[in-house]
């Protein structure tokens, strides 16, 4: 409880700093409204014991109970079946997704956490034994089994999996933890021509992270929308509304962020040398604090939380993952509750139609 209170205090202090900087016109188009949504979701997950280690979940891509069920949903995607190379974020709730990629015999691309030690690491399932997979998808395991690549690597990524704090299923707009790493990783892959507009972007979240108050008009050119949302209970296909970023938008990248990521500094220097001119620099930014690294015990609620939904979403639900005890049966315990209050609307769904038709979002 003490650490949870500390996380809340740090969150409040950061929101105040962002609001003050925004009022002074020092933060460009980085709005404090995003932090209000993040705080609402993080607080809700902690309050209702949906959060899982590492806790508190504030300033993280939040881990949650039954997160492994989202990996089962990903495995059912036809895009997953077709993919040979898949990029997955390094955060805790996507650990089982990373494991699923390797167990399916697919090449796994994992960013270095916070891009602080490099760029991406490639894990080849042919070089990792079945008994090593669970370790290989942890941070130490990626160091031990991964092969670092640089910006000059030639590869084609068939699917991108990113973590989120909140997602609007009506338009695919998402919020991460506020540090912009998913956008930077996506932008660098575009620069490398490893992905394009048609590369599916998937996010894996708890049902309580579905919201309806991330409007399309407030999304920025570098924000990455998602095509598919996988929760423990459902898969939602999002209508393509928002454009995807084309690369790195240097005029949006703050000097604080650029100064903290060496691979970006290298890329900028390379492009400036090639083009013979200086690239622009974005407005200053109030960098968020890093997460508090303490806390024991996963959440107990299994997603049986109370609250109100954020979502009159239009995404098409593909229904519950089919499986044994770890699939459908456990899925019923996860995410059946309401979601954090947004406009007071409730996200509802029905079972898929017998012909595989979409579920309703009302």
């Amino acid at each position: 409880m003490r650490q949870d209170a500390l996380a809340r205090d740090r969150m409040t202090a950061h929101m105040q700093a962002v609001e003050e900087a925004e009022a002074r016109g020092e933060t460009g188009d980085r709005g404090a409204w995003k932090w209000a949504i993040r705080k609402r979701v993080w607080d809700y997950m902690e309050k209702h014991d949906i959060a899982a280690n590492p806790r508190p979940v504030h300033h993280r891509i939040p881990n949650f109970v039954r997160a492994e069920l989202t990996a089962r949903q990903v495995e059912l995607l036809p895009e997953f079946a077709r993919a040979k190379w898949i990029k997955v974020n390094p955060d805790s709730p996507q650990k089982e997704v990373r494991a699923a990629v390797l167990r399916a015999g697919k090449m796994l691309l994992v960013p270095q956490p916070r891009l602080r030690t490099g760029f991406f690491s490639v894990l080849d399932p042919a070089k990792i034994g079945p008994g090593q997979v669970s370790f290989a998808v942890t941070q130490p395991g990626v160091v031990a089994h991964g092969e670092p690549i640089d910006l000059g690597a030639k590869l084609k990524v068939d699917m991108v999996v990113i973590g989120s704090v909140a997602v609007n299923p009506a338009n695919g707009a998402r919020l991460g933890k506020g540090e912009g790493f998913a956008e930077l990783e996506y932008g660098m892959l575009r620069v490398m021509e490893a992905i394009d507009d048609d590369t599916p972007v998937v996010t894996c979240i708890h049902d309580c992270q579905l919201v309806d108050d991330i409007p399309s008009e407030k999304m920025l050119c570098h924000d990455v929308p998602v095509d598919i949302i996988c929760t423990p209970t459902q898969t939602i296909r999002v209508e393509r509304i928002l454009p995807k970023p084309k690369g790195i938008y240097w005029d949006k990248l703050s000097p604080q962020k650029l100064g903290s990521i060496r691979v970006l500094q290298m890329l900028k220097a390379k492009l400036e040398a090639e083009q013979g001119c200086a690239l622009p620099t974005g407005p200053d930014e109030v960098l968020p604090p890093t997460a508090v690294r303490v806390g024991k015990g996963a959440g107990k609620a299994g997603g049986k939380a109370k609250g109100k939904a954020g979502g009159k979403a239009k995404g098409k639900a593909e229904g519950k993952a089919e499986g044994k005890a770890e699939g459908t049966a456990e899925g019923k315990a996860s995410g059946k509750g309401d979601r954090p209050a947004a406009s007071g609307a409730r996200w509802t769904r029905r079972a898929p139609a017998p012909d595989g038709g979409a579920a309703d979002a009302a």
Side-chain angles (χ1 to χ4, degrees), residues 260-275:
S260 67
I261 303 176
R262 185 169 178 268
V263 68
L264 276 178
Q265 299 167 26
M266 295 169 60
L267 175 60
K268 188 175 186 182
K270 176 178 180 290
L271 293 175
E272 288 176 335
E274 291 175 353
Q275 299 174 15

Side-chain angles (χ1 to χ4, degrees), residues 44 48-50 206 208 301-307 333 335-339:
Y44 183 90
H48 295 282
D49 218 13
I50 298 169
H206 191 273
C208 75
K304 298 177 182 177
K306 297 179 180 179
K336 287 184 70 175
D338 300 334
R339 273 157 288 284

Side-chain angles (χ1 to χ4, degrees), residues 116-128:
R116 60 176 176 263
T117 59
F119 185 35
F120 285 89
S121 293
V122 174
L123 284 81
D124 184 347
K127 300 178 181 179
I128 301 171

Side-chain angles (χ1 to χ4, degrees), residues 167-173 210-212 214 216 226-229 234-241 310-318 345-349 357-362:
V167 185
N168 185 348
N171 56 12
L210 294 168
V211 303
D212 67 355
I214 310 178
S216 298
V226 303
D227 301 302
I228 302 171
I229 304 168
Q234 61 184 321
T235 292
I236 303 167
R237 289 189 176 272
V238 180
E239 180 183 355
R240 179 72 67 85
I241 296 174
K312 286 187 178 180
K314 298 178 182 178
K316 297 179 179 179
E318 292 185 344
R346 169 173 285 189
W347 171 266
T348 60
R349 58 187 177 272
D360 284 346

